[in-house]
Amino acid sequence: MEHEIISEILTHITNNNINKITFSNIRNKELELDKVIGKLVSIKNNINLQLEYRYRRIIKHTNIVTSDFSNIETTIQELFELAKDINIVTINENINIKISKKFKISVNRKTTVSKAISFDHNKKKEYFLDEKKKYPFLIELGIQNNDGKIIKSKYNKFKQINKYLEFIKQATTQLDSSKQITILDFGSGKSYLTFSAYYYLTKVLNLNVKIIGIDLKKEVIEHCNDIADKLNFTNLSFIYGDVIDYENKDEIDMVISLHACNTATDIAILKALGWKAKVFFAVPCCQKEVNGQLKADFMPFMLKHGIIKEKFSTLLTDSVRSDVLEAFGYKSDIVEFISAENTPKNQLIRAYKTTNDINKNILSNLEQFLSSLNVKMFLLDEVKKLI
């Protein structure tokens, strides 16, 4: 039966008859692969099978021209052997395939309303904020002019805001909308994203939200509070202070830390862990702590290059941060925040609280690995106080 199923999948692909195919419930847990999603797209006048590999921490894409039958067949065969669940959505049918541990296959088919296949790979981006609409808060922030047109030099910032709102919308599924949602934004700075999140959550999604921005620049805090007052954003406020000194009495639902330098991101993580925040977002920068400790004799062929050492330090630091969050009961991953063409600070650590259990083995393994590099991290030292 396996041969017949694979043959059917290949026929659907070569006949351009697949809207979506999903391979999930992956057998090999060591791969840390959640699922693979495939769809047909047109790239340079050729139909491709585009596969999105969703790993626990990263997402990878690959495109295979459907005329390359041998490559397509090998790939589908590999995915078939990896997945216990396969779902195929064709023009007029939904096919669910379940494969047991012993490779016993069951197939369930359901006829659906015919739906044309779209091969559009470069369709116009649908923004959360309409670039043709006038937004008073974007005017106050200098992103739109008084006529409501995006200022040319701020267009990348406008795209960044919309990408950020995509993540914000996803995060709302983890929050209790029946009560007021409290969000802390550490290192809010000029607060483009803070104002955008407040507007979107309160005016578009109609949620009861309170956002507090915290920063060390007094003049920026005053300016942001003035704008919030002018816009009548009553539950948006900004306070002067250091992240490490901030205390609160209310329940904190979500903690955001964007572009906090060096260990300031770690302090935000520690605060979120202590409060058991439901959601944590961070886009770190300036990971100097690890960079300053790495010795060139560890992988000298790599670390003799300053730019490689810097990137390695960034990846190592953020991977440790993500695993610390996992240890404290979060489902954490690292995704691209915005294209590297717009900013090099483009790694978003995203974490959703799933349990209050603490996995000490994860922390122990991290310590052992860092010890092998003769590296110490502030975050790992401090989280011990929370256990």
Side-chain angles (χ1 to χ4, degrees):
M1 191 173 185
E2 174 183 344
H3 176 76
E4 287 81 359
I5 294 295
I6 292 175
S7 178
E8 180 179 358
I9 292 173
L10 292 172
T11 299
H12 282 309
I13 292 172
T14 53
N15 288 341
N16 299 333
N17 189 36
I18 279 186
N19 266 306
K20 185 179 180 181
I21 181 168
T22 305
F23 299 86
S24 58
N25 199 359
I26 305 301
R27 296 175 187 275
N28 187 350
K29 302 303 179 185
E30 292 182 0
L31 293 176
E32 297 188 347
L33 178 62
D34 290 332
K35 64 177 67 174
V36 180
I37 300 173
K39 62 180 180 178
L40 298 176
V41 299
S42 178
I43 302 175
K44 295 181 179 179
N45 297 321
N46 289 313
I47 302 300
N48 285 246
L49 174 64
Q50 184 176 86
L51 295 168
E52 180 179 278
Y53 289 76
R54 295 188 178 182
Y55 291 90
R56 197 173 82 176
R57 291 179 177 80
I58 60 173
I59 296 174
K60 294 183 178 180
H61 293 87
T62 185
N63 297 310
I64 309 173
V65 180
T66 55
S67 59
D68 186 359
F69 187 82
S70 177
N71 197 354
I72 292 282
E73 183 178 24
T74 301
T75 301
I76 295 300
Q77 178 74 48
E78 291 173 350
L79 291 172
F80 188 91
E81 292 173 359
L82 269 180
K84 293 181 183 178
D85 293 317
I86 303 172
N87 176 256
I88 307 166
V89 180
T90 70
I91 291 176
N92 53 17
E93 194 175 23
N94 193 318
I95 308 168
N96 282 307
I97 302 166
K98 291 193 174 296
I99 309 168
S100 70
K101 290 182 179 180
K102 296 183 179 180
F103 273 87
K104 183 180 178 181
I105 300 172
S106 62
V107 181
N108 181 271
R109 299 174 183 271
K110 183 178 180 181
T111 302
T112 59
V113 178
S114 297
K115 184 178 180 181
I117 307 288
S118 172
F119 304 109
D120 194 353
H121 179 58
N122 295 311
K123 58 185 178 182
K124 182 175 175 61
K125 178 71 174 177
E126 293 183 7
Y127 288 127
F128 283 77
L129 299 180
D130 188 343
E131 61 182 301
K132 295 181 180 179
K133 184 177 177 180
K134 188 174 181 179
Y135 298 96
F137 79 94
L138 290 183
I139 295 173
E140 292 294 332
L141 294 170
I143 293 174
Q144 285 184 328
N145 61 24
N146 290 330
D147 296 324
K149 292 184 179 180
I150 306 295
I151 296 170
K152 189 174 181 180
S153 62
K154 298 293 184 180
Y155 198 78
N156 282 341
K157 179 63 69 175
F158 179 75
K159 291 197 296 183
Q160 184 185 38
I161 287 171
N162 277 279
K163 184 65 176 179
Y164 179 64
L165 293 180
E166 181 181 334
F167 291 118
I168 290 291
K169 183 179 181 181
Q170 292 167 358
T172 59
T173 62
Q174 310 296 315
L175 302 173
D176 183 1
S177 60
S178 66
K179 67 176 188 66
Q180 186 177 64
I181 297 167
T182 302
I183 300 173
L184 291 184
D185 188 348
F186 286 138
S188 51
K190 294 181 179 179
S191 302
Y192 297 107
L193 302 181
T194 319
F195 277 98
S196 301
Y198 184 84
Y199 172 85
Y200 182 73
L201 291 169
T202 61
K203 307 300 182 183
V204 179
L205 298 185
N206 296 313
L207 296 174
N208 182 7
V209 172
K210 177 172 73 173
I211 300 182
I212 302 168
I214 305 168
D215 202 272
L216 282 169
K217 297 176 182 176
K218 282 186 177 180
E219 65 280 4
V220 171
I221 291 297
E222 291 173 359
H223 180 63
C224 289
N225 275 322
D226 288 343
I227 294 176
D229 289 341
K230 185 175 181 179
L231 296 168
N232 199 27
F233 284 3
T234 53
N235 283 327
L236 175 61
S237 60
F238 299 87
I239 60 175
Y240 170 76
D242 197 329
V243 172
I244 200 168
D245 298 323
Y246 182 79
E247 300 295 339
N248 72 289
K249 297 179 182 179
D250 302 323
E251 180 182 356
I252 303 301
D253 299 289
M254 182 172 179
V255 174
I256 300 169
S257 173
L258 304 180
H259 302 158
C261 287
N262 206 17
T263 56
T265 295
D266 300 317
I267 294 168
I269 291 174
L270 292 166
K271 291 287 188 179
L273 295 180
W275 294 327
K276 295 183 172 60
K278 301 294 189 299
V279 178
F280 177 79
F281 281 174
V283 179
C285 75
C286 309
Q287 293 88 339
K288 297 177 182 178
E289 183 187 27
V290 169
N291 196 323
Q293 297 177 67
L294 278 176
K295 306 299 180 185
D297 54 1
F298 173 71
M299 294 194 295
F301 63 96
M302 284 180 61
L303 301 186
K304 66 181 180 180
H305 306 289
I307 189 172
I308 298 297
K309 184 181 178 185
E310 182 179 346
K311 290 182 177 180
F312 181 86
S313 300
T314 297
L315 295 172
L316 175 59
T317 301
D318 289 347
S319 296
V320 170
R321 287 166 169 163
S322 180
D323 252 27
V324 167
L325 287 158
E326 292 267 354
F328 278 79
Y330 288 81
K331 179 176 175 55
S332 176
D333 60 357
I334 302 173
V335 295
E336 185 179 72
F337 174 48
I338 193 71
S339 172
E341 295 176 1
N342 298 318
T343 172
K345 305 168 188 176
N346 68 333
Q347 288 181 182
L348 171 70
I349 302 174
R350 174 179 57 182
Y352 299 142
K353 187 75 168 173
T354 59
T355 177
N356 287 325
D357 295 338
I358 298 175
N359 189 331
K360 295 180 182 178
N361 287 333
I362 293 178
L363 300 176
S364 177
N365 290 338
L366 288 173
E367 281 195 318
Q368 289 178 29
F369 177 72
L370 290 178
S371 178
S372 71
L373 303 181
N374 289 319
V375 168
K376 289 187 176 183
M377 283 186 64
F378 166 81
L379 178 61
L380 279 179
D381 289 337
E382 292 296 314
V383 291
K384 296 174 186 175
K385 301 175 183 178
L386 300 176
I387 297 175

